[in-house]
Amino acid sequence: MRIVMVGAGMVGLCAGMLLADDGHDVTLVERDPAPPPDPGEAWPAWERRGVNQFRLPNFLLSRFRLTAETELPRLVEALTAAGACRYNLIENIPRVLKGGARPGDDRFDLVTGRRPVVEAATARVAEATPRLTVRRGAAVRNLLAGASDLPGTPHVTGVELGSGERLTADLVVDATGRRSPLPRWIVEAGGRPPHEELEDSGFKYFARHFRSGEGLPVVVGPLVQEYGSVTALTLPADGGTWSVSVVTSSRDTALRGLAEPDRWRAAVKALPGAAHWTDAPPIDDRVTVITRIEDRIRDYAPGGVPVATGVVAVGDSWSCTNPSLGRGASVGLLHAVLLRDVLRDAGDDDPGALASRWWEATRREMEPWYRATLAYDRHRLAQVHAEIEGTPYVTEDETWNLTRALQARSLRDGDLLRANLDVAMLLRPSAEVLADPAIRPRLDDAGRAGRSPAAGPSRDELISAIR
């Protein structure tokens, strides 16, 4: 099959390699012209203007490493060679809390790094992949459409580039990410727009990166630490680097001062589990701020009828969420593997049957991850707003209450600790973990107690720290 892949971010690169490895001829087009540099030079030198989150904190969960080792082992080797951090979450937890080492703890291994470094290493592997051609500086203008088997539904036969060049294909794969123009392209080709659910996640990020020649800071708490109305993210990266982020509600005007480096540092120094992560030189002088992060999912087959055939979307082009749980790259890689498998099983399916098979598989296999992430974020945001108002957050949602009970008790029970990490690292769905007969009875008396916030400053003390 001749495939045109649009977008050379992590998902596009991985999907391109998976499909080429499976015998397809893949042309990957990317509008940003700058070629990937040596991974060691990627952070200061590589400009990816089409990716607004390119230098934001980046984290690859254990599920990404586990899937990549199975499906693209050469990618894990390349990331390691580029200095990506190899890290095991359970090893860094005191023995008294985890109950000693156990068989299977290696599932918590992860390989992670800053996005420019990770993407540069991935791009180099992709460019060495047979049957995969990467073309940079090639922006797609619109889709090409041919005869359709479904009345009122365009059949995509390729893309037209901004230069006027036409690339024909048996399948076009959109991996352009959060700002995907695919809905517009489909409408311009004569199709119906997909059904879209869209909302602002409501969170705001204030982040900085650090480097030390002495290795990573000592881990004294979870990588995600909640302190009432704020969350701290302390994420290992590559080459002795890491990031520290403070996440607030985008409506929290009292903490806008976090955008200033001195105030940001004062706030982090007030957070016990994160303070020492700033005891190293920062890589950049400024605080990186991002807000207006959208939660979105698109249904390209509303009512079971595809809005177009010959074209599919993967990763963030299909759905995207607030990145605080770090699931984007892992979900994107799983989605790319699913596409490979659907095409492998499709056989002689006509374009309509193939499109239906793809979107049914996406709903079944991928949408539950999106729904679970969205539900978690909505509850956490509501809890943050309750903290700002000085009131307790109470909900009848059993899944949220059980999840908070699991988190709260995970540092007192080795079984619950591993179950909580299974959810956090995307190794098992939360619904499966919470229904586990070995886990559920230990949580049923949780009531509405939820998770206790990490010991830290009161809200008034936090606000005072940044004045």
Side-chain angles (χ1 to χ4, degrees), residues 94-105:
R95 181 183 181 87
V96 67
L97 299 178
K98 66 186 177 186
R102 298 184 186 179
D105 281 352

Side-chain angles (χ1 to χ4, degrees), residues 30 82 113 153 162 273 328 358 396:
E30 165 59 48
T153 300
W358 166 246
E396 297 296 332

